[in-house]
């Protein structure tokens, strides 16, 4: 490339509306003048020439990551660790970039907080026992009574007709449904009992109760106060993005980077890849059973199916009436 062509290219870059990096201008001037590209030439008179961060590790080249044939002068700053970047002084380029990024995130949060969403149906805090769960429990009892009667009818014939009175119908559903009430907290889908003799044998609350628990009552009061203060019932953390620094901090607390051979060694040892201790899960209505092997779990499933009344009656009906298909 002749000097005239290089000069025309440099002139076109400066006249173009496209924004070029300073390093690109320096490389174009090198072809024109022959002056080597250095950090001082790219950023002349900059106060960051001697204070810019350096990388604490290097990239190990391989076939997948080949070494660059034309390494840039900024390549040695490309692998700085996250923690030094986070704690970099404002007098460094990385420190200034971090502060500008934080300012941008702060402005985005303020923009969203200025016009927040009032409510969102996707945000739910509690849903342990919903109206759908109650419906499934009631229909299971109705179905069980119907299967029981059909099994008796196919087994004993017309002698089982007096047992038709034991079949539950829609009136049973209405009667049992009135014993439960939906929690009035907008972010809770739980149903709670207001009569003692209920389907779940749960402890009943007062008839005029509005919330399933004290936590929902306090949360409803806080949501109303939040609406008066911010114009939204939702917590700010739900609709406003979390700062990037906070996300990185949470990531570093629970995960760490290890060489691939160490990861593969741990996998071969069948050891867990995390150091966080899991808490034992607790359930209000029952206990979760854990099995050591898959065979033990399958055996427990077979035993559970033997004591399932609906499954037993379903098998009796299918044996006595071949016209009933499996899907009906």
């Amino acid at each position: 490339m002749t000097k005239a062509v290089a000069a025309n290219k440099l002139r076109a870059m400066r006249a173009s509306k496209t924004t070029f990096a300073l390093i690109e201008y320096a490389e174009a001037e090198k072809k024109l003048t022959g002056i080597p590209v250095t950090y001082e030439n790219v950023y002349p008179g900059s106060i960051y020439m001697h204070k810019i961060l350096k990388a604490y590790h290097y990239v190990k080249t391989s076939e997948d990551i080949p070494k660059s044939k034309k390494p840039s002068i900024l390549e040695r700053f490309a692998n700085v660790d996250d923690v030094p970047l986070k704690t970099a002084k404002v007098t460094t380029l990385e420190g200034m970039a971090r502060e500008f990024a934080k300012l941008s995130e702060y402005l985005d949060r303020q923009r969203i907080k200025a016009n927040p969403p009032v409510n969102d149906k996707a945000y739910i805090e509690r849903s342990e026992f919903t109206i759908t769960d109650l419906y499934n429990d009631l229909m299971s009892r109705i179905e069980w009574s119907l299967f029981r009667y059909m099994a008796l009818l196919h087994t004993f014939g017309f002698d089982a007709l007096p047992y038709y009175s034991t079949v539950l119908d829609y009136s049973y559903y209405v009667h049992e449904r009135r014993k439960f009430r939906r929690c009035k907290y907008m972010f809770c889908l739980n149903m709670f009992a207001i009569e003692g003799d209920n389907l779940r044998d749960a402890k009943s609350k007062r008839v005029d109760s509005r919330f399933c628990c004290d936590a929902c009552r306090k949360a409803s009061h806080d949501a109303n106060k939040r609406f008066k203060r911010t114009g939204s019932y939702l917590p700010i953390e739900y609709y406003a993005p979390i700062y990037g620094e906070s996300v990185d901090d949470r990531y570093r607390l629970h995960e760490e980077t290890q060489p691939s051979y160490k990861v593969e060694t741990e996998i071969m040892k069948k050891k867990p890849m995390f150091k966080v201790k899991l808490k034992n899960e607790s359930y209000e209505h029952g206990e979760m059973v854990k099995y050591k092997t898959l065979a033990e779990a399958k055996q427990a499933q077979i035993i559970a199916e033997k004591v399932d009344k609906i499954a037993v009656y379903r098998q009796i009906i299918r044996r006595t009436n071949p016209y009933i298909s499996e899907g009906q």
Side-chain angles (χ1 to χ4, degrees), residues 50-219:
H50 305 289
K51 297 181 180 180
I52 192 168
L53 294 172
K54 295 183 179 180
Y56 285 88
H57 61 280
Y58 66 95
V59 177
K60 187 177 180 180
T61 58
S62 62
E63 295 181 357
D64 298 331
I65 308 177
K67 187 175 181 180
S68 177
K69 296 180 180 179
K70 295 181 179 180
S72 172
I73 61 171
L74 302 178
E75 189 172 315
R76 60 192 179 99
F77 309 120
N79 300 314
V80 181
D81 296 331
D82 292 338
V83 175
L85 285 175
K86 177 184 175 182
T87 58
K89 296 181 180 180
V90 186
T91 54
T92 62
L93 291 176
E94 284 76 8
M96 290 188 65
R98 182 196 65 236
E99 295 301 321
F100 280 123
K102 289 171 60 177
L103 178 60
S104 176
E105 293 179 353
Y106 171 76
L107 294 177
D108 289 340
R109 286 174 59 91
Q110 293 300 114
R111 176 180 54 81
I112 297 174
K113 288 166 64 175
N115 188 20
V118 179
N119 200 349
D120 189 356
K121 292 184 178 180
Y123 178 73
I124 298 298
E125 293 183 1
R126 295 179 180 86
S127 60
E128 290 81 11
F129 181 64
T130 64
I131 181 64
T132 306
D133 298 330
L134 177 60
Y135 173 81
N136 291 336
D137 292 347
L138 292 174
M139 292 306 297
S140 296
R141 286 200 172 189
I142 295 175
E143 184 187 36
W144 176 84
S145 66
L146 179 61
F147 275 123
R148 177 179 177 273
Y149 174 72
M150 292 178 64
L152 293 174
L153 187 64
H154 284 280
T155 304
F156 301 103
F158 290 101
D159 294 336
L161 289 177
Y163 291 95
Y164 180 75
S165 59
T166 60
V167 178
L168 303 177
D169 54 4
Y170 181 72
S171 60
Y172 168 79
Y173 174 83
V174 174
H175 181 264
E176 292 295 328
R177 173 64 181 84
R178 290 174 179 174
K179 297 180 180 180
F180 290 86
R181 178 176 296 168
R182 164 80 182 275
C183 181
K184 295 299 181 181
Y185 180 40
M186 62 178 64
F187 300 131
C188 177
L189 301 180
N190 284 339
M191 305 290 294
F192 62 94
I194 56 176
E195 293 188 20
D197 185 16
N198 55 73
L199 174 70
R200 297 171 62 87
D201 295 330
K203 184 178 180 180
S204 62
K205 288 181 168 291
R206 291 172 44 179
V207 180
D208 58 346
S209 298
R210 300 174 60 244
F211 303 101
C212 64
C213 58
D214 291 337
C216 284
R217 179 178 57 82
K218 296 177 182 178

Side-chain angles (χ1 to χ4, degrees), residues 213-229:
C213 58
D214 291 337
C216 284
R217 179 178 57 82
K218 296 177 182 178
S220 179
H221 179 68
D222 294 339
N224 293 330
K225 290 175 59 178
R226 190 162 55 236
F227 175 75
K228 295 178 181 179
R229 185 176 67 255

Side-chain angles (χ1 to χ4, degrees), residues 16-21 24-25:
S16 175
K17 296 182 180 180
T18 306
T19 303
F20 293 93
E24 294 177 332
Y25 286 112

